[in-house]
């Protein structure tokens, strides 16, 4: 779908906006329909939550199954027209009463610790898929000659530390004191023998998290004065990425607690997130304790 988009007139804006008030790209809508139809036809799902639709989608018989899928069909889509990597993020819960035929929002509004699987696909120079079912993280790469994803990263492990920090510095004026102090320490190389960290920020969560999983470091989208709950969505951005990072030996926090222990208050709820190498996230935790967590 993506490689030929530029040629198939699929680039550009769709002329509509999603529940987030974000302008939808044509490919956002196409991706959303593709995933909804595929998940419905799988016969495994009872409820779908997608970033592109305000309301939950309840799957009726004969296609109904016992799994809830929460997904962002095309994350980072503002980058599509300039060819920067974008991706699909998903998380899966098993319904609380499988086989009962009785499904509700109670099957969705749950902490991330109850997810049974999570993953993402990244569409860029190569197409990758990272997935976890709670027993570690495996990475796959699309072999276009086969049309199949082949396993290339059988056991992904986030390096325990990494001199790379990833944050939108354009928001620096709005950051809390602990975030400011940590970023200053990165720039000074305080915890890296005086060698400054590198700043890497794509602006596409899938790309920034993929690099962090493989190279180490930290990805941050903190709460700030502009976004008091942060920008990223709990169910289909924070939870899946937090589960992957933890399963790969890293950490993911909101600043005040473990990300996966958040209780979403709506299906499009947002939360701050700091995720990546264990030692980097623990430095943020130290500064939050010293300076007051936000
Ligand atoms: P900002 C993309 O719109 C997205 O939801 C994530 O993929 C990305 O990490 C974040 O927003 C970027 O936000 O405010 O830095 O442009």
């Amino acid at each position: 779908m993506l490689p030929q988009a530029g040629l198939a007139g699929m680039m550009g804006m769709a002329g509509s906006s999603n529940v987030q008030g974000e302008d939808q790209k044509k490919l956002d809508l196409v991706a959303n329909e593709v995933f909804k139809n595929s998940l419905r036809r799988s016969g495994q799902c009872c409820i779908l939550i997608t970033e592109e639709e305000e309301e939950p989608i309840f799957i009726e018989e004969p296609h109904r199954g016992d799994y809830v899928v929460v997904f962002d069909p095309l994350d980072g889509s503002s980058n599509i027209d300039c060819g920067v990597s974008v991706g699909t993020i998903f998380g899966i819960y098993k319904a609380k009463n499988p086989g009962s035929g009785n499904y509700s929002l109670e099957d969705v509004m749950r902490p991330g610790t109850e997810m049974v699987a999570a993953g993402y696909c990244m569409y860029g120079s190569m197409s990758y898929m990272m997935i976890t079912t709670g027993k570690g993280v495996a990475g796959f790469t699309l072999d276009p000659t086969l049309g199949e994803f082949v396993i290339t990263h059988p056991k992904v492990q986030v390096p325990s530390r990494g001199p790379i920090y990833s944050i939108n510095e354009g928001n620096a004026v709005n950051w809390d004191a602990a975030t400011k102090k940590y970023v200053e320490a990165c720039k000074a190389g305080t915890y890296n023998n005086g060698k400054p960290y590198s700043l890497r920020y794509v602006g596409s969560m899938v790309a920034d998290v993929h690099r962090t999983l493989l190279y180490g470091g930290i990805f941050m989208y903190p709460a700030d004065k502009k976004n008091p709950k942060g920008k990223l969505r709990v169910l289909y951005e924070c939870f899946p990425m937090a589960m992957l990072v933890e399963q790969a030996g890293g950490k993911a926090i909101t600043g005040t607690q473990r990300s996966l222990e958040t209780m979403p208050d709506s299906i499009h709820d947002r939360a701050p997130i700091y995720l990546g190498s264990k030692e980097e996230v623990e430095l943020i935790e130290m500064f939050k304790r010293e300076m007051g967590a936000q």
Side-chain angles (χ1 to χ4, degrees), residues 18-264:
N18 63 16
V19 62
Q20 329 292 338
E22 296 164 342
D23 292 334
Q24 289 174 308
K25 298 277 188 175
K26 290 175 186 170
L27 277 176
D28 276 331
L29 301 178
V30 172
N32 191 46
E33 289 308 310
V34 166
F35 283 108
K36 283 196 308 183
N37 294 337
S38 301
L39 289 166
R40 180 181 286 112
R41 280 202 305 273
S42 74
Q44 300 300 320
C45 304
C46 51
I47 304 173
L48 305 180
I49 304 291
T50 163
E51 186 206 34
E52 298 303 333
E53 303 202 15
E54 185 157 5
E55 299 301 330
I57 299 161
F58 289 86
I59 305 295
E60 300 302 330
E61 290 298 8
H63 298 293
R64 190 168 63 198
D66 287 328
Y67 290 92
V68 176
V69 181
V70 297
F71 62 101
D72 184 352
L74 205 55
D75 179 74
S77 55
S78 58
N79 292 305
I80 288 176
D81 291 357
C82 61
V84 169
S85 298
V86 293
T88 300
I89 309 171
F90 65 91
I92 302 174
Y93 294 101
K94 186 159 191 175
K96 290 185 169 181
N97 300 300
S100 67
N102 174 22
Y103 307 103
S104 72
L105 268 187
E106 285 182 22
D107 292 299
V108 180
M109 305 305 286
R110 299 152 76 173
T113 48
E114 294 182 21
M115 281 194 171
V116 294
Y120 63 77
C121 283
M122 185 175 80
Y123 316 114
S125 58
M126 300 174 82
S127 292
Y128 293 98
M129 179 168 67
M130 289 286 186
I131 193 163
T132 181
T133 57
K135 299 182 179 69
V137 175
F140 301 80
T141 305
L142 179 66
D143 179 335
T145 61
L146 297 175
E148 295 285 349
F149 280 90
V150 296
I151 191 157
T152 47
H153 303 73
K155 186 171 172 45
V156 178
Q157 286 291 303
V158 184
S160 61
R161 61 177 303 281
I164 301 171
Y165 73 102
S166 182
I167 189 169
N168 182 342
E169 289 252 6
N171 296 328
V173 69
N174 298 319
W175 292 341
D176 65 295
T179 302
K180 284 180 181 169
K181 180 149 185 185
Y182 173 75
V183 170
E184 282 159 21
C186 291
K187 291 177 174 177
T190 310
Y191 300 95
N192 193 39
N193 301 317
K195 191 170 180 303
Y197 283 27
S198 297
L199 169 60
R200 293 286 182 272
Y201 191 71
V202 179
S204 181
M205 188 184 195
V206 174
D208 284 317
V209 173
H210 187 69
R211 181 201 56 252
T212 304
L213 271 175
L214 297 185
Y215 291 1
I218 188 167
F219 168 76
M220 301 173 272
Y221 210 107
D224 62 30
K225 296 175 202 133
K226 191 175 74 170
N227 298 296
K229 294 190 85 175
K231 175 183 181 184
L232 300 177
R233 273 61 54 134
V234 173
L235 280 176
Y236 41 78
E237 289 175 323
C238 297
F239 280 169
M241 295 310 203
M243 184 176 180
L244 284 164
V245 167
E246 285 197 0
Q247 285 291 317
K251 284 190 90 168
I253 62 171
T254 64
T256 55
Q257 68 179 84
R258 181 185 172 206
S259 291
L260 287 176
E261 290 173 358
T262 307
M263 185 63 190

Side-chain angles (χ1 to χ4, degrees), residues 242 245-246 249-253 274-279 281-282 285:
V245 167
E246 285 197 0
K251 284 190 90 168
I253 62 171
Y274 301 80
L275 64 76
S277 295
K278 192 166 176 293
E279 292 177 33
V281 176
E282 286 171 350
E285 288 180 311

